Every structure is written in structure tokens, then in C-alpha cells.
Amino acid sequence: MKWYLNAMTNLIKTPEQIEKMRIAGKLAADVLEMIAPYVQKGVTTEELNQRCHDYIVNEQQAIPAPLNYHGYPKSVCISLNEVVCHGIPSFKKLREGDILNIDVTVIKDNYHGDSSAMFIVGETTPQKRKLCQAAQESLYAAIKLVRPGATLGDIGAACQQVAEPQGFSIVRDFCGHGIGEGFHEEPQVLHYGMPGTGMSLKAGMTFTIEPMLNAGTYKCKVNKKDGWTATTKDGQPSAQWEHTLLVTDDGVEVLTLRSDEDFPREIHHS
């Protein structure tokens, strides 16, 4: 992993901390909604980055967490086609058929909201469209299992059970993470695993689920020149969706839900 986990973190958040997480989560979702109309053929990923930066800083009065985080040079990550994650915005123009992930993390009142979404430029191939859909389906399947007493292994297995039957692989090199006052806290949330294994979830925990699906091999490589950009080892496309979640007393609350999603903000289990 390139991102770094904070050594000491508080897994269970207080009601006051949770309220701050709700605010930060809403801001992250708002950035993704704001940028959507600008994802068009001919636009550069740097233009998208600048729009996100200006919106976070000027409109939201918040901080873009990735900027200067362990040397990362931009305010959002934009991962295009075969880029798995941590793509650095550049002056490369979007082309018809491109798929891209925009990963936004906002800091407000010292707390983080982290979310990402896939975008398709114009018309793309059936394979790329199916890959994007499968990545979102795997995220939703995992979210539906989140509740006190469920395990991290349940989350990983749910992602696999959606992705692999459709012929896609789950990335092993990167994972979800706890989040709060720290950008990357414990626990690490793998997107593969065995049901019933790993840490049991407890009410008050906040973390991300962010499955990365590849059309080919799950293996990745990181660009040695910039130290960040992770691509698929075989050059096949990759897709990812991400939400920040709160484990509630009887289920889960999606802190970064967007208005364009046909998915409940809260799920309750009896």
C-alpha cells in the first residue's frame, strides 16, 4: 500500500465525532456530484482536479486531503482506464470511451470524508461498462452486510462473490481503511476473504469499502517515476467505487451517499 495507516487510532467514534464525519462525508459526495457534468471528451484531468480543488477550498471552506499527503501533488486522484488507483491528474485530454475514477477526500473540522465514483466518457465498450457496473455492485453487496457482529472477511467475500463470477479479478495490493481524524486508520478492509474471519465490526466504527476490479489479472504495478500511479500489470482496464461507512447499532449508514444513487442511506437489520 502507498497510503499510510495511522499507528494509533480510535476505532469507535463518539457521537460528536460521528456528526463531524457526516458533514465531511456529505461534502465529499457533493464534490463528485459537482464534477460530473464536466467529465467530457476533450477535458483534461488537470482541469477536473482544479475544479474540485476550487470547489473544496472556496465553496466548502474545506481541505482536499490528498494534496501534499506524503508528497502526493494534486487535490484528487483521477485514475484513467488501466490505472487502478492514485492516478495523478495531468494535461492528458479525455477521449471517447475512456473510463475514469475520481477519488475525493475532504477534510472539514479535522475529520475526513472519502468517496470515489466511476465516470464514462461518451460511449465505451461493453466490457468497460460491465466492469464499472460490477465494481459498484460489489461495493453495494459488501455494504449490505455491514452491521455489528459481521466481520471484515464477510466484506471481502461479498466483493469477490460479485466480481469473480463475472470474470473480473479483485485487486490485492490496495484496500479500504478506517477513517476519521486520520485519513487512513485501522482497520485495513480487504476486498477478498473468507466469511466469518477477521475483525468483528462494532457500532461506532467508520471505514471505507472501495473494491478495485480488473478486467484481467489482479496484479498491479506502481510507476517508478512518480511513485504513485498504480496500473494493471497486463494493461487491462480497472474500475473502483468507494464509500465511507458508519456501523450503526443495527446496521450501516452510508456517509458519502450521492443523490444520483438508487441505494439506501441507512440499512437496518432486525
mmCIF file of all heavy atoms in Angstrom, residues 164-193:
data_model
loop_
_atom_site.group_PDB
_atom_site.id
_atom_site.type_symbol
_atom_site.label_atom_id
_atom_site.label_comp_id
_atom_site.label_asym_id
_atom_site.label_seq_id
_atom_site.Cartn_x
_atom_site.Cartn_y
_atom_site.Cartn_z
ATOM 1 N N GLU A 164 -15.980 -12.078 -9.236
ATOM 2 C CA GLU A 164 -15.324 -13.206 -9.892
ATOM 3 C C GLU A 164 -16.235 -14.018 -10.805
ATOM 4 O O GLU A 164 -15.800 -14.436 -11.886
ATOM 5 C CB GLU A 164 -14.630 -14.066 -8.837
ATOM 6 C CG GLU A 164 -13.440 -13.326 -8.231
ATOM 7 C CD GLU A 164 -12.780 -14.048 -7.070
ATOM 8 O OE1 GLU A 164 -13.321 -15.081 -6.620
ATOM 9 O OE2 GLU A 164 -11.726 -13.567 -6.608
ATOM 10 N N PRO A 165 -17.506 -14.232 -10.457
ATOM 11 C CA PRO A 165 -18.381 -14.947 -11.395
ATOM 12 C C PRO A 165 -18.583 -14.202 -12.720
ATOM 13 O O PRO A 165 -18.949 -14.824 -13.724
ATOM 14 C CB PRO A 165 -19.699 -15.071 -10.629
ATOM 15 C CG PRO A 165 -19.306 -15.024 -9.190
ATOM 16 C CD PRO A 165 -18.168 -14.054 -9.138
ATOM 17 N N GLN A 166 -18.343 -12.885 -12.714
ATOM 18 C CA GLN A 166 -18.470 -12.103 -13.953
ATOM 19 C C GLN A 166 -17.159 -12.037 -14.737
ATOM 20 O O GLN A 166 -17.076 -11.346 -15.755
ATOM 21 C CB GLN A 166 -18.951 -10.690 -13.619
ATOM 22 C CG GLN A 166 -20.323 -10.659 -12.966
ATOM 23 C CD GLN A 166 -20.870 -9.260 -12.819
ATOM 24 O OE1 GLN A 166 -21.050 -8.533 -13.805
ATOM 25 N NE2 GLN A 166 -21.133 -8.849 -11.587
ATOM 26 N N GLY A 167 -16.139 -12.748 -14.228
ATOM 27 C CA GLY A 167 -14.871 -12.809 -14.940
ATOM 28 C C GLY A 167 -13.883 -11.729 -14.579
ATOM 29 O O GLY A 167 -12.860 -11.567 -15.257
ATOM 30 N N PHE A 168 -14.158 -10.977 -13.496
ATOM 31 C CA PHE A 168 -13.263 -9.905 -13.081
ATOM 32 C C PHE A 168 -12.475 -10.320 -11.834
ATOM 33 O O PHE A 168 -12.922 -11.161 -11.055
ATOM 34 C CB PHE A 168 -14.055 -8.627 -12.799
ATOM 35 C CG PHE A 168 -14.841 -8.148 -13.980
ATOM 36 C CD1 PHE A 168 -16.215 -7.908 -13.889
ATOM 37 C CD2 PHE A 168 -14.223 -7.946 -15.204
ATOM 38 C CE1 PHE A 168 -16.945 -7.478 -14.984
ATOM 39 C CE2 PHE A 168 -14.948 -7.507 -16.316
ATOM 40 C CZ PHE A 168 -16.309 -7.275 -16.196
ATOM 41 N N SER A 169 -11.315 -9.717 -11.665
ATOM 42 C CA SER A 169 -10.471 -10.026 -10.514
ATOM 43 C C SER A 169 -10.486 -8.882 -9.511
ATOM 44 O O SER A 169 -10.731 -7.729 -9.875
ATOM 45 C CB SER A 169 -9.028 -10.307 -10.958
ATOM 46 O OG SER A 169 -8.462 -9.159 -11.585
ATOM 47 N N ILE A 170 -10.214 -9.211 -8.247
ATOM 48 C CA ILE A 170 -10.171 -8.226 -7.169
ATOM 49 C C ILE A 170 -8.715 -7.880 -6.865
ATOM 50 O O ILE A 170 -7.892 -8.769 -6.623
ATOM 51 C CB ILE A 170 -10.828 -8.778 -5.889
ATOM 52 C CG1 ILE A 170 -12.315 -9.043 -6.119
ATOM 53 C CG2 ILE A 170 -10.613 -7.830 -4.720
ATOM 54 C CD1 ILE A 170 -13.226 -7.873 -5.937
ATOM 55 N N VAL A 171 -8.415 -6.593 -6.871
ATOM 56 C CA VAL A 171 -7.057 -6.134 -6.570
ATOM 57 C C VAL A 171 -6.688 -6.474 -5.130
ATOM 58 O O VAL A 171 -7.487 -6.276 -4.211
ATOM 59 C CB VAL A 171 -6.942 -4.614 -6.819
ATOM 60 C CG1 VAL A 171 -5.640 -4.054 -6.276
ATOM 61 C CG2 VAL A 171 -7.076 -4.318 -8.309
ATOM 62 N N ARG A 172 -5.498 -6.991 -4.939
ATOM 63 C CA ARG A 172 -4.992 -7.359 -3.608
ATOM 64 C C ARG A 172 -4.075 -6.303 -3.000
ATOM 65 O O ARG A 172 -3.914 -6.238 -1.784
ATOM 66 C CB ARG A 172 -4.200 -8.662 -3.692
ATOM 67 C CG ARG A 172 -4.958 -9.933 -3.375
ATOM 68 C CD ARG A 172 -5.962 -10.313 -4.414
ATOM 69 N NE ARG A 172 -6.433 -11.691 -4.203
ATOM 70 C CZ ARG A 172 -7.496 -12.210 -4.766
ATOM 71 N NH1 ARG A 172 -8.226 -11.468 -5.592
ATOM 72 N NH2 ARG A 172 -7.861 -13.451 -4.537
ATOM 73 N N ASP A 173 -3.454 -5.487 -3.840
ATOM 74 C CA ASP A 173 -2.399 -4.585 -3.365
ATOM 75 C C ASP A 173 -2.922 -3.365 -2.618
ATOM 76 O O ASP A 173 -2.163 -2.705 -1.914
ATOM 77 C CB ASP A 173 -1.545 -4.096 -4.547
ATOM 78 C CG ASP A 173 -0.730 -5.208 -5.167
ATOM 79 O OD1 ASP A 173 -0.749 -6.335 -4.640
ATOM 80 O OD2 ASP A 173 -0.083 -4.957 -6.204
ATOM 81 N N PHE A 174 -4.204 -3.052 -2.777
ATOM 82 C CA PHE A 174 -4.777 -1.863 -2.135
ATOM 83 C C PHE A 174 -6.101 -2.254 -1.490
ATOM 84 O O PHE A 174 -6.757 -3.200 -1.927
ATOM 85 C CB PHE A 174 -4.987 -0.745 -3.169
ATOM 86 C CG PHE A 174 -3.727 -0.375 -3.901
ATOM 87 C CD1 PHE A 174 -3.431 -0.962 -5.126
ATOM 88 C CD2 PHE A 174 -2.828 0.530 -3.365
ATOM 89 C CE1 PHE A 174 -2.263 -0.649 -5.804
ATOM 90 C CE2 PHE A 174 -1.658 0.848 -4.029
ATOM 91 C CZ PHE A 174 -1.377 0.264 -5.249
ATOM 92 N N CYS A 175 -6.484 -1.505 -0.461
ATOM 93 C CA CYS A 175 -7.663 -1.907 0.300
ATOM 94 C C CYS A 175 -8.361 -0.701 0.902
ATOM 95 O O CYS A 175 -7.863 0.427 0.839
ATOM 96 C CB CYS A 175 -7.265 -2.887 1.403
ATOM 97 S SG CYS A 175 -6.130 -2.206 2.641
ATOM 98 N N GLY A 176 -9.525 -0.956 1.501
ATOM 99 C CA GLY A 176 -10.212 0.075 2.255
ATOM 100 C C GLY A 176 -9.548 0.258 3.610
ATOM 101 O O GLY A 176 -8.611 -0.458 3.964
ATOM 102 N N HIS A 177 -10.074 1.195 4.402
ATOM 103 C CA HIS A 177 -9.367 1.574 5.623
ATOM 104 C C HIS A 177 -10.293 2.304 6.585
ATOM 105 O O HIS A 177 -11.283 2.914 6.183
ATOM 106 C CB HIS A 177 -8.198 2.502 5.270
ATOM 107 C CG HIS A 177 -8.605 3.661 4.415
ATOM 108 N ND1 HIS A 177 -9.073 4.857 4.927
ATOM 109 C CD2 HIS A 177 -8.661 3.802 3.057
ATOM 110 C CE1 HIS A 177 -9.375 5.681 3.931
ATOM 111 N NE2 HIS A 177 -9.145 5.066 2.778
ATOM 112 N N GLY A 178 -9.918 2.227 7.860
ATOM 113 C CA GLY A 178 -10.579 3.075 8.832
ATOM 114 C C GLY A 178 -10.331 4.533 8.504
ATOM 115 O O GLY A 178 -9.355 4.883 7.826
ATOM 116 N N ILE A 179 -11.228 5.388 8.972
ATOM 117 C CA ILE A 179 -11.116 6.811 8.649
ATOM 118 C C ILE A 179 -11.783 7.625 9.743
ATOM 119 O O ILE A 179 -12.724 7.158 10.385
ATOM 120 C CB ILE A 179 -11.748 7.107 7.267
ATOM 121 C CG1 ILE A 179 -11.499 8.547 6.815
ATOM 122 C CG2 ILE A 179 -13.246 6.767 7.268
ATOM 123 C CD1 ILE A 179 -11.857 8.810 5.369
ATOM 124 N N GLY A 180 -11.301 8.821 9.953
ATOM 125 C CA GLY A 180 -11.854 9.713 10.970
ATOM 126 C C GLY A 180 -11.022 10.968 11.010
ATOM 127 O O GLY A 180 -10.901 11.684 10.020
ATOM 128 N N GLU A 181 -10.388 11.229 12.154
ATOM 129 C CA GLU A 181 -9.448 12.345 12.235
ATOM 130 C C GLU A 181 -8.220 12.036 11.395
ATOM 131 O O GLU A 181 -7.569 12.926 10.874
ATOM 132 C CB GLU A 181 -9.085 12.622 13.691
ATOM 133 C CG GLU A 181 -8.549 14.007 13.929
ATOM 134 C CD GLU A 181 -8.542 14.410 15.383
ATOM 135 O OE1 GLU A 181 -8.911 13.593 16.243
ATOM 136 O OE2 GLU A 181 -8.160 15.567 15.652
ATOM 137 N N GLY A 182 -7.916 10.761 11.251
ATOM 138 C CA GLY A 182 -6.843 10.314 10.358
ATOM 139 C C GLY A 182 -7.407 9.950 8.996
ATOM 140 O O GLY A 182 -8.541 9.459 8.883
ATOM 141 N N PHE A 183 -6.624 10.209 7.956
ATOM 142 C CA PHE A 183 -7.009 9.869 6.589
ATOM 143 C C PHE A 183 -7.109 8.342 6.459
ATOM 144 O O PHE A 183 -8.098 7.810 5.959
ATOM 145 C CB PHE A 183 -5.955 10.438 5.636
ATOM 146 C CG PHE A 183 -6.317 10.428 4.175
ATOM 147 C CD1 PHE A 183 -5.573 11.184 3.280
ATOM 148 C CD2 PHE A 183 -7.378 9.692 3.673
ATOM 149 C CE1 PHE A 183 -5.869 11.200 1.922
ATOM 150 C CE2 PHE A 183 -7.685 9.694 2.317
ATOM 151 C CZ PHE A 183 -6.922 10.448 1.451
ATOM 152 N N HIS A 184 -6.080 7.651 6.908
ATOM 153 C CA HIS A 184 -6.042 6.192 6.817
ATOM 154 C C HIS A 184 -5.770 5.617 8.201
ATOM 155 O O HIS A 184 -4.645 5.695 8.706
ATOM 156 C CB HIS A 184 -4.976 5.741 5.817
ATOM 157 C CG HIS A 184 -5.251 6.200 4.428
ATOM 158 N ND1 HIS A 184 -4.807 7.402 3.932
ATOM 159 C CD2 HIS A 184 -5.960 5.625 3.424
ATOM 160 C CE1 HIS A 184 -5.208 7.550 2.688
ATOM 161 N NE2 HIS A 184 -5.920 6.483 2.360
ATOM 162 N N GLU A 185 -6.795 5.069 8.801
ATOM 163 C CA GLU A 185 -6.705 4.495 10.135
ATOM 164 C C GLU A 185 -6.895 2.982 10.045
ATOM 165 O O GLU A 185 -7.192 2.435 8.985
ATOM 166 C CB GLU A 185 -7.797 5.092 11.041
ATOM 167 C CG GLU A 185 -7.725 6.611 11.178
ATOM 168 C CD GLU A 185 -8.820 7.192 12.063
ATOM 169 O OE1 GLU A 185 -9.796 6.465 12.383
ATOM 170 O OE2 GLU A 185 -8.713 8.363 12.428
ATOM 171 N N GLU A 186 -6.733 2.307 11.172
ATOM 172 C CA GLU A 186 -7.115 0.904 11.250
ATOM 173 C C GLU A 186 -8.642 0.819 11.290
ATOM 174 O O GLU A 186 -9.297 1.759 11.754
ATOM 175 C CB GLU A 186 -6.511 0.270 12.510
ATOM 176 C CG GLU A 186 -4.989 0.179 12.508
ATOM 177 C CD GLU A 186 -4.455 -0.841 11.509
ATOM 178 O OE1 GLU A 186 -5.272 -1.581 10.893
ATOM 179 O OE2 GLU A 186 -3.233 -0.897 11.333
ATOM 180 N N PRO A 187 -9.228 -0.263 10.811
ATOM 181 C CA PRO A 187 -8.578 -1.454 10.274
ATOM 182 C C PRO A 187 -8.367 -1.360 8.765
ATOM 183 O O PRO A 187 -8.953 -0.502 8.112
ATOM 184 C CB PRO A 187 -9.606 -2.546 10.581
ATOM 185 C CG PRO A 187 -10.920 -1.839 10.396
ATOM 186 C CD PRO A 187 -10.688 -0.443 10.925
ATOM 187 N N GLN A 188 -7.534 -2.252 8.237
ATOM 188 C CA GLN A 188 -7.471 -2.413 6.791
ATOM 189 C C GLN A 188 -8.661 -3.267 6.359
ATOM 190 O O GLN A 188 -8.991 -4.264 6.993
ATOM 191 C CB GLN A 188 -6.169 -3.100 6.382
ATOM 192 C CG GLN A 188 -4.929 -2.257 6.663
ATOM 193 C CD GLN A 188 -3.684 -2.850 6.052
ATOM 194 O OE1 GLN A 188 -3.719 -3.442 4.987
ATOM 195 N NE2 GLN A 188 -2.560 -2.684 6.729
ATOM 196 N N VAL A 189 -9.313 -2.839 5.283
ATOM 197 C CA VAL A 189 -10.524 -3.516 4.807
ATOM 198 C C VAL A 189 -10.217 -4.156 3.454
ATOM 199 O O VAL A 189 -10.226 -3.485 2.414
ATOM 200 C CB VAL A 189 -11.704 -2.530 4.702
ATOM 201 C CG1 VAL A 189 -12.963 -3.256 4.258
ATOM 202 C CG2 VAL A 189 -11.935 -1.823 6.040
ATOM 203 N N LEU A 190 -9.942 -5.455 3.463
ATOM 204 C CA LEU A 190 -9.621 -6.164 2.229
ATOM 205 C C LEU A 190 -10.897 -6.457 1.453
ATOM 206 O O LEU A 190 -11.970 -6.635 2.039
ATOM 207 C CB LEU A 190 -8.893 -7.476 2.541
ATOM 208 C CG LEU A 190 -7.614 -7.367 3.386
ATOM 209 C CD1 LEU A 190 -6.992 -8.753 3.569
ATOM 210 C CD2 LEU A 190 -6.610 -6.416 2.751
ATOM 211 N N HIS A 191 -10.763 -6.535 0.138
ATOM 212 C CA HIS A 191 -11.923 -6.787 -0.716
ATOM 213 C C HIS A 191 -11.956 -8.225 -1.211
ATOM 214 O O HIS A 191 -12.595 -8.535 -2.221
ATOM 215 C CB HIS A 191 -11.931 -5.791 -1.871
ATOM 216 C CG HIS A 191 -11.934 -4.377 -1.392
ATOM 217 N ND1 HIS A 191 -10.846 -3.545 -1.552
ATOM 218 C CD2 HIS A 191 -12.863 -3.671 -0.701
ATOM 219 C CE1 HIS A 191 -11.123 -2.367 -0.991
ATOM 220 N NE2 HIS A 191 -12.338 -2.414 -0.477
ATOM 221 N N TYR A 192 -11.297 -9.096 -0.497
ATOM 222 C CA TYR A 192 -11.337 -10.537 -0.728
ATOM 223 C C TYR A 192 -11.182 -11.195 0.634
ATOM 224 O O TYR A 192 -10.647 -10.579 1.570
ATOM 225 C CB TYR A 192 -10.214 -10.984 -1.676
ATOM 226 C CG TYR A 192 -8.828 -10.672 -1.151
ATOM 227 C CD1 TYR A 192 -8.086 -11.626 -0.455
ATOM 228 C CD2 TYR A 192 -8.260 -9.408 -1.326
ATOM 229 C CE1 TYR A 192 -6.823 -11.337 0.041
ATOM 230 C CE2 TYR A 192 -7.008 -9.112 -0.839
ATOM 231 C CZ TYR A 192 -6.294 -10.074 -0.155
ATOM 232 O OH TYR A 192 -5.049 -9.780 0.338
ATOM 233 N N GLY A 193 -11.674 -12.401 0.773
ATOM 234 C CA GLY A 193 -11.541 -13.050 2.075
ATOM 235 C C GLY A 193 -12.563 -14.147 2.285
ATOM 236 O O GLY A 193 -13.360 -14.468 1.401
#
